[in-house]
Amino acid sequence: MAINLDTGDLMAVKEIRFQDVTSFESLQRSIKDEMAVLRILHHPHIIEYYGVEVHREKAFIFMEYCPHSISSLLEHGRIEDLNVIKLYAKQMLEGLEYLHSKGIEHRDVKPGNILIGQEGSIKFVDFGASKFYKAQKTVLVNGQMNTLGNFFLYTHIFIYLFLFPTLFIVKQK
């Protein structure tokens, strides 16, 4: 964590150490790829990127500070409030839709990579595995033609609703 001297706001600092010289080029390319993605993203449900500093054996990536993650919430038990579940699901889908509209597939969506900002909204983070699609493709989903971005969105919905239903327990009143 750090303080932005211009604004006084808290910032998150991701530290990356260059320990193995043989993997330096690969690591450098990976960092550049992640920075290329973060630089073009500006959305309420995507972590805000502030910059990077590279020193001899370390790189520091400066980003918006978020105090919690979905993963840390789930350590205390399941999310049982239906209104919170609806809000988080809506925000996750809005964030994914934005990414896909920019031609970006996150490729590592999991509770640890979904943070909760200081105002309580969902923020996607960790774009190290993300990829740009080279071209928009059209696929048939449920009898309708959709762009590849919408196909990925439907895929994420399927994964969360059908493969991880136990993440959220809804109590009927």
Side-chain angles (χ1 to χ4, degrees), residues 13-14 19 21 24 32-34 66 80 82 95 106 121 170 172-173:
V13 182
K14 180 178 180 179
Q19 294 176 345
V21 178
F24 177 75
K32 282 183 179 180
D33 290 347
E34 185 171 359
C66 294
E80 297 184 1
L82 183 57
H106 188 283
S121 64
V170 179
Q172 299 289 335
K173 289 187 178 183

Side-chain angles (χ1 to χ4, degrees), residues 68-83:
H68 303 286
S69 70
I70 294 292
S71 180
S72 67
L73 286 183
L74 293 174
E75 288 175 6
H76 301 287
R78 294 182 173 92
I79 300 171
E80 297 184 1
D81 186 321
L82 183 57
N83 292 324

Side-chain angles (χ1 to χ4, degrees), residues 40-147:
I40 66 168
L41 299 177
H42 302 286
H43 187 270
H45 302 303
I46 307 295
I47 198 79
E48 193 66 33
Y49 163 76
Y50 300 136
V52 63
E53 284 186 18
V54 179
H55 298 277
R56 288 182 183 200
E57 298 172 358
K58 297 178 187 176
F60 299 96
I61 302 170
F62 299 95
M63 298 173 278
E64 172 183 9
Y65 173 72
C66 294
H68 303 286
S69 70
I70 294 292
S71 180
S72 67
L73 286 183
L74 293 174
E75 288 175 6
H76 301 287
R78 294 182 173 92
I79 300 171
E80 297 184 1
D81 186 321
L82 183 57
N83 292 324
V84 172
I85 294 168
K86 286 179 184 179
L87 177 66
Y88 285 175
K90 180 179 183 281
Q91 290 178 357
M92 286 171 40
L93 294 174
E94 288 171 352
L96 291 170
E97 181 179 43
Y98 172 78
L99 288 174
H100 298 160
S101 76
K102 294 287 188 183
I104 298 168
E105 183 184 357
H106 188 283
R107 296 173 29 133
D108 195 19
V109 174
K110 60 186 179 187
N113 287 340
I114 304 170
L115 303 184
I116 301 170
Q118 298 204 43
E119 295 82 33
S121 64
I122 292 292
K123 305 275 186 174
F124 284 99
V125 69
D126 194 352
F127 290 85
S130 65
K131 296 289 179 198
F132 287 97
Y133 350 128
K134 295 200 177 1
Q136 288 284 7
K137 295 182 181 177
T138 303
V139 294
L140 188 65
V141 178
N142 292 335
Q144 295 182 346
M145 297 305 285
N146 290 279
T147 64

